[in-house]
Amino acid sequence: MLSSAQTPRFLLLHSRFPHKLLHFQTPKSLHTFQTQAQILSPSPPTSQILTIRESLLSRSTTAVELASNYLHHLRRTEPHLNSFLHISDTVLKEAEEIDRKIQNNEEVGPLAGVLVGVKDNICTVDMPSTAGSRALENYRPPFDATAVRKLRECGAIVVGKTNLDEFGMGSTTEGSAYQVTANPWDLSRVPGGSSGGSAAAVSARQCIVSLGSDTGGSVRQPASFCGVVGLKPTYGRVSRYGLVAYASSLDVIGCFGSSVADTGILLNVISGHDRHDATSSKREVPNFTFQSISPDSIESKPLRGLRVGIIRETLQEGVDSEVISSIRDAASHLEELGCSLTEVSLPSFSLGLPAYYILATSESSSNLSRYDGVRYGNQAVADVLNSLYGDSRAKGLGSEVKMRILMGTYALSAGYYDAYYKRAQKVRTLVQKSFKTALDENDILISPAAPSAAYKIGEKKSDPLAMYAGDIMTVNINLAGLPALVLPCGLVQGGSAGLPVGIQMIGAAFDEEKLLKVGHIFEQTLQGCCFVPPLVADGFAC
């Protein structure tokens, strides 16, 4: 069984110079890619962002060289992955401007030269923002989302817009109106959703980091399926201005990276209060960047005294045995680092899934009413106003979106509001209280990020209830508004080289700093392993 996070066959070394390893050798058939994992010397994941900055400032490479290499790799892998809906045509021009500033000894931002993928439901002024829907085909916003604006101000280059389930409604990225994204670990499998394009792009090294959105697990589940780090911040930590709304009380913008350090740096840049978003927090933003810890520190038990609660309900029936084994192995590793581990019960945990789908669909029925062909969305040709509305929505919106709108409208309708929506809000309060009680007694909680590893494309498309059930590990955290970090902890059987499994670490509200610290130490002390999919293993040692 391949459930152990320390199975040597799958340990891949992390290069200290990722920019020098972007001269990929693409085989004749990516479908026959085989992982050639070798352990030369233990070396944990390092920050690509910091390495790139050091290389640019020391002038050992240029932003144009870096961008050219990534674009070359992106174009060769993209036909097999379909991670992106749009590729920017100004990447090299922006890279040239960074090189000019460095040449003239001008100050450049902390993300200078870093290529970022942005989920296509986050507005960008210079590229279409379709939210994966035909209703917004070719829509170009007149502004950048606040998170995107902050990235650009720090020197980041938006390489393109990533694929997603339409309006964020889905768990596989099969719900996109344009294309289906494949998982870099096995091209016959889904990358997760709805931020599957952003997760797959980072996993396949098509970009360095990426932004996604998380309403009920849309950052964390794809991170687990694709073997990357995914962070859902506390609700209000990052401005939602410029994020196409699905369920406004649940939506957050989250981060993907190939290391915890890079994810923290990305969060550091996009966090903070925004006058355009009344729900954004005015709390002071701590510094989410930190120095790498030496793997040798495991001898000193760097997490001594940390109280970790493993959620009992997440390791019961309905969860794959290999996933449970991987999470228990990860919990044992935390104990080796000095943590005290206890089992925690959240009695309301199973109630979160139905409550989430009532609340999310109810909010979506309101939010998506604007796509009527008049206010927003492509307009159908009709002689009568009601026909114009109906035809525009019928042609512009996909089947999953229509179904969720109808579900939400039903839950909010007269005679059913108290039975469904009001009761779901009461359950949400119970979920919040149960998490508060558990986190009063523990510093963090842990669970799987999904009940299984990535499944086959099309396997659950005809069974929406089974797909919805896959969100059970993540939706409660959105209902409670808490932060959660997912990072790879092991591999299970599947594909040519195994499939990644992610551990989910849950913290108290606005305690991302602790999650990132624990995740970083966990990652750095896991025998120097990191996760590179077969798609890029040859010619790109980790």
Side-chain angles (χ1 to χ4, degrees), residues 308-314 342-346 434 437-439 441-442 444-445:
V308 177
I310 184 167
I311 303 175
R312 180 186 305 156
E313 288 78 4
T314 65
T342 58
E343 198 170 82
V344 173
S345 178
L346 300 179
S434 64
T437 299
L439 287 166
E441 299 172 356
N442 297 275
I444 65 170
L445 304 176

Side-chain angles (χ1 to χ4, degrees), residues 145-437:
T146 297
V148 174
R149 175 180 58 79
K150 289 184 174 183
L151 290 176
R152 295 192 199 270
E153 289 173 352
C154 289
I157 301 173
V158 177
V159 67
K161 305 300 290 295
T162 58
N163 194 27
L164 70 155
D165 290 295
E166 186 177 4
F167 288 107
M169 299 182 185
S171 304
T172 64
T173 316
E174 294 171 285
S176 170
Y178 300 98
Q179 60 193 29
V180 175
T181 299
N183 191 316
W185 285 84
D186 182 346
L187 298 178
S188 69
R189 297 177 185 267
V190 301
S194 63
S195 304
S198 290
V202 172
S203 178
R205 279 40 177 190
Q206 293 178 315
C207 59
I208 297 162
V209 290
S210 64
L211 294 183
S213 66
D214 192 311
T215 305
S218 292
V219 164
R220 290 159 289 151
Q221 182 245 34
S224 179
F225 280 12
C226 293
V228 296
V229 179
L231 174 65
K232 173 215 170 292
T234 306
Y235 184 83
R237 172 68 81 187
V238 178
S239 170
R240 291 184 297 110
Y241 181 69
L243 171 65
V244 176
Y246 166 15
S248 301
S249 72
L250 302 166
D251 296 339
V252 295
I253 291 178
C255 312
F256 291 99
S258 58
S259 69
V260 175
D262 282 348
T263 308
I265 293 170
L266 192 60
L267 179 66
N268 205 65
V269 169
I270 65 175
S271 295
H273 178 66
D274 177 19
R275 64 183 180 84
H276 295 300
D277 178 8
T279 64
S280 63
S281 174
K282 294 184 179 180
R283 285 176 178 246
E284 184 178 351
V285 179
N287 186 358
F288 297 124
T289 62
F290 38 77
Q291 296 296 319
S292 293
I293 186 169
S294 168
D296 296 336
S297 65
I298 189 171
E299 300 295 333
S300 62
K301 296 189 179 294
L303 296 180
R304 186 187 302 275
L306 189 82
R307 300 168 300 167
V308 177
I310 184 167
I311 303 175
R312 180 186 305 156
E313 288 78 4
T314 65
L315 299 177
Q316 295 178 348
E317 186 178 354
V319 184
D320 285 2
S321 59
E322 288 185 291
V323 171
I324 293 175
S325 180
S326 290
I327 299 303
R328 292 202 181 278
D329 287 345
S332 297
H333 183 63
L334 286 170
E335 285 188 301
E336 292 171 3
L337 295 171
C339 297
S340 59
L341 191 68
T342 58
E343 198 170 82
V344 173
S345 178
L346 300 179
S348 62
F349 192 85
S350 62
L351 302 176
L353 190 65
Y356 164 81
Y357 272 101
I358 290 172
L359 296 175
T361 56
S362 296
E363 292 186 29
S364 72
S365 74
S366 175
N367 278 326
L368 271 65
S369 65
R370 70 193 70 175
Y371 302 105
D372 54 14
V374 176
R375 290 171 291 179
Y376 290 94
N378 293 322
Q379 188 176 104
V381 177
D383 296 327
V384 181
L385 185 61
N386 284 342
S387 297
L388 184 150
Y389 288 152
D391 291 350
S392 297
R393 291 172 70 78
K395 294 176 181 178
L397 303 177
S399 58
E400 180 67 27
V401 173
K402 291 174 186 174
M403 182 171 67
R404 296 197 189 199
I405 289 173
L406 288 172
M407 289 168 59
T409 303
Y410 180 85
L412 292 173
S413 61
Y416 297 100
Y417 178 89
D418 287 347
Y420 294 104
Y421 184 79
K422 189 174 181 180
R423 184 171 295 182
Q425 290 287 23
K426 291 180 179 178
V427 170
R428 184 177 193 168
T429 300
L430 290 177
V431 170
Q432 291 169 341
K433 288 181 177 179
S434 64
F435 269 106
K436 185 180 185 306
T437 299

Side-chain angles (χ1 to χ4, degrees), residues 89-126:
D89 56 8
T90 63
V91 171
L92 294 180
K93 182 178 179 181
E94 294 177 55
E96 287 174 358
E97 178 61 18
I98 292 170
D99 287 336
R100 184 196 64 78
K101 287 183 177 181
I102 293 174
Q103 191 66 31
N104 295 335
N105 295 316
E106 296 179 29
E107 186 68 28
V108 293
L111 295 184
V114 173
L115 271 64
V116 182
V118 175
K119 188 176 179 180
D120 204 33
N121 63 345
I122 302 174
C123 289
T124 47
V125 71
D126 55 348

Side-chain angles (χ1 to χ4, degrees), residues 220 229-233 260 303 306 308-309 311 327 330-331 333-334 337 339 435 439 443-449 473-474 477 482-489 502-508 511-512 514-523:
R220 290 159 289 151
V229 179
L231 174 65
K232 173 215 170 292
V260 175
L303 296 180
L306 189 82
V308 177
I311 303 175
I327 299 303
H333 183 63
L334 286 170
L337 295 171
C339 297
F435 269 106
L439 287 166
D443 295 298
I444 65 170
L445 304 176
I446 61 173
S447 77
M473 301 297 175
T474 53
I477 291 87
L482 300 176
L485 176 72
V486 167
L487 63 159
C489 66
I503 181 173
Q504 178 174 229
M505 300 180 179
I506 307 158
D511 207 3
E512 292 90 352
K514 181 182 292 179
L515 288 179
L516 289 164
K517 178 182 177 183
V518 174
H520 179 64
I521 292 173
F522 178 94
E523 170 191 75

